[in-house]
Amino acid sequence: MKVHTKSIIISKHLVYNSYLFVKKNRGTCGIDGQSIKDFEVNLKDNLYKLWNRMSSGSYFPLPVKEVLIPKRDGSKRPLGIPTVTDRIAQTVVKKLLEPRLERIFHKDSYGYRPNKSAHQALKQCRMRCWETDWVIDLDIKGFFDNISHELMYKALICFVEERWILLYIKRWLEAGVFSKEGLQLRESGTPQGGVISPLLANLFLHFVFDKWIAVKYPHIKFERYADDIIVHCHNRQQSEELYSDIRRRFESCKLMLNESKSKIVYCKDSKRTGDYPQIQFDFLGYTFRRRFSSNKKGMYYVGFLPAPSKSSLKAIQLEIKSWKLKNKVKARLEDIGNYINPILRGWINYYSLFQKRELRKAFTILEYRILKWVRSKYKRLRTKRRSGNWIKRMKARYPSLLAHWRFMYPRIG
């Protein structure tokens, strides 16, 4: 008979698999300055030490390191980066909790869940905008920073029997934040950047919104990706009443709607001819609004359709400009491709779901920058005609050299 000497039974194999997960996702250093490579210098002892502390109840996380990430509107979003050790510990708990929570999560919750994606949410949203005339676009003010710890514990107790899991989650939630101003204790919220944070956020909004609206308004459809929520209504009166009820629900759960960003939208198209101040909304990097489009038979129509948002395309163009390709005259075109192709493929995979021509327009600035690079690198190709012909030959011979070429010119090669 196997005798357990630890008060908490945690598999060493689970700890090791959690380390592999953290290594695969990389990430920056936490407050202790230890990187994955540093952790691996003494890997066996470090993993044993973490397992030993978690198994005995003596594990205490360090404060998270605050990193400010620029947002598209010019403001900055704080991320809380745990240490490598704490990320591994959080992954251990996540791997134990996620399967049981997945069984209760709503089918229209798409964010940070296995076998769920933003594209699925966008497709569902597009279809439901055709079926209903009105949309409520909800934006929660500082959601991750304002999650009530008290209410979070009540939600966890419903599904978590292990006292040690509740104990460690409590310690993660209450761990301080180390910023430029020094150490700050946290009485609410869960830091964006933590491994366990998306799962906890989904559980919190499952009770605050998903389950509540499914019980009180079973006929109402919605899509939720983390704290981005779109609700579909059949008429204006219903949308206004529901908006007020949702606001009261969030306030009762210690959350506030961002009134400047939350709004009621009329899904105007060729058949919906009424007037309303708001006739478009943004969701997951796409703008839904009235557009001209064509069907498979080539017939044109006006529909309420999504396309990459202007802010998303502007961010792409700013990123392309930041590469300063003109100055990389010592690099070969193959070197430039190796550098930018992973980024280009990411953009193409995400933003080509609807209205591909909008993304192609954004890539015209990249074509222009490549031409300027050619003229800077080769003296004999300084004219527009010669540099343009050189690029055409490269596209014909090596159509996969730059990832956006086949996307912009499907017939090349």
Side-chain angles (χ1 to χ4, degrees), residues 96-252:
L96 292 173
L97 279 186
E98 191 171 59
R100 70 181 79 166
L101 294 182
E102 273 297 308
R103 291 194 290 269
I104 61 106
F105 283 161
H106 197 282
K107 63 181 178 65
D108 285 320
S109 167
Y110 296 90
Y112 310 112
R113 294 180 59 189
N115 303 317
K116 294 277 189 176
S117 70
H119 278 186
Q120 291 174 342
L122 288 163
K123 290 177 181 178
Q124 189 70 276
C125 184
R126 180 184 65 158
M127 184 183 70
R128 286 171 176 168
C129 284
W130 296 341
E131 298 171 350
T132 55
D133 296 350
W134 295 83
V135 153
I136 304 175
D137 179 12
L138 297 173
D139 185 274
I140 305 173
K141 191 174 183 179
F143 169 65
F144 280 88
D145 295 329
N146 292 299
I147 292 176
S148 166
H149 290 177
E150 179 186 359
L151 295 178
M152 177 63 79
Y153 298 145
K154 288 182 179 180
L156 283 166
I157 289 172
C158 295
F159 300 99
V160 181
E161 297 179 355
E162 300 91 331
R163 294 180 62 185
W164 67 272
I165 291 181
L166 296 172
L167 173 66
Y168 290 154
I169 290 178
K170 185 174 188 293
R171 289 176 182 175
W172 286 322
L173 291 176
E174 296 177 354
V177 178
F178 195 84
S179 62
K180 292 182 178 179
E181 289 75 25
L183 181 63
Q184 300 174 348
L185 298 179
R186 187 170 56 233
E187 297 180 355
S188 64
T190 178
Q192 285 184 271
V195 176
I196 197 74
S197 294
L199 183 63
L200 296 180
N202 271 336
L203 176 63
F204 192 79
L205 280 179
H206 171 77
F207 282 100
V208 172
F209 182 79
D210 301 357
K211 189 174 181 179
W212 171 79
I213 201 169
V215 172
K216 191 169 184 180
Y217 300 96
H219 57 287
I220 292 293
K221 305 297 183 182
F222 69 91
E223 298 84 36
R224 182 174 68 79
Y225 193 96
D227 58 332
D228 292 326
I229 308 172
I230 300 296
V231 185
H232 302 269
C233 300
H234 290 280
N235 56 64
R236 179 174 178 176
Q237 181 181 355
Q238 183 188 58
S239 62
E240 290 174 347
E241 292 175 354
L242 181 55
Y243 182 84
S244 299
D245 205 8
I246 291 172
R247 183 197 295 115
R248 288 191 292 268
R249 171 62 179 175
F250 280 175
E251 289 174 355
S252 69

Side-chain angles (χ1 to χ4, degrees), residues 2-15:
K2 188 175 182 179
V3 179
H4 295 287
T5 59
K6 297 293 183 181
S7 57
I8 301 169
I9 301 174
I10 299 175
S11 165
K12 291 180 181 179
H13 186 66
L14 177 59
V15 175

Side-chain angles (χ1 to χ4, degrees), residues 350-401:
Y350 188 78
Y351 289 109
S352 65
L353 181 63
F354 305 114
Q355 306 289 330
K356 295 180 180 181
R357 63 178 179 272
E358 298 298 326
L359 183 57
R360 291 189 177 112
K361 290 177 184 177
F363 281 155
T364 55
I365 191 174
L366 177 56
E367 289 287 88
Y368 175 70
R369 297 263 162 170
I370 292 170
L371 278 173
K372 291 183 71 174
W373 171 83
V374 173
R375 295 172 200 158
S376 299
K377 184 176 178 64
Y378 303 108
K379 292 182 180 180
R380 60 186 176 84
L381 301 176
R382 291 290 167 87
T383 66
K384 290 183 179 180
R385 183 177 62 82
R386 289 181 177 180
S387 59
N389 288 336
W390 187 86
I391 287 292
K392 286 180 180 178
R393 290 194 298 270
M394 294 300 291
K395 289 175 182 176
R397 294 175 185 174
Y398 312 105
S400 300
L401 192 59

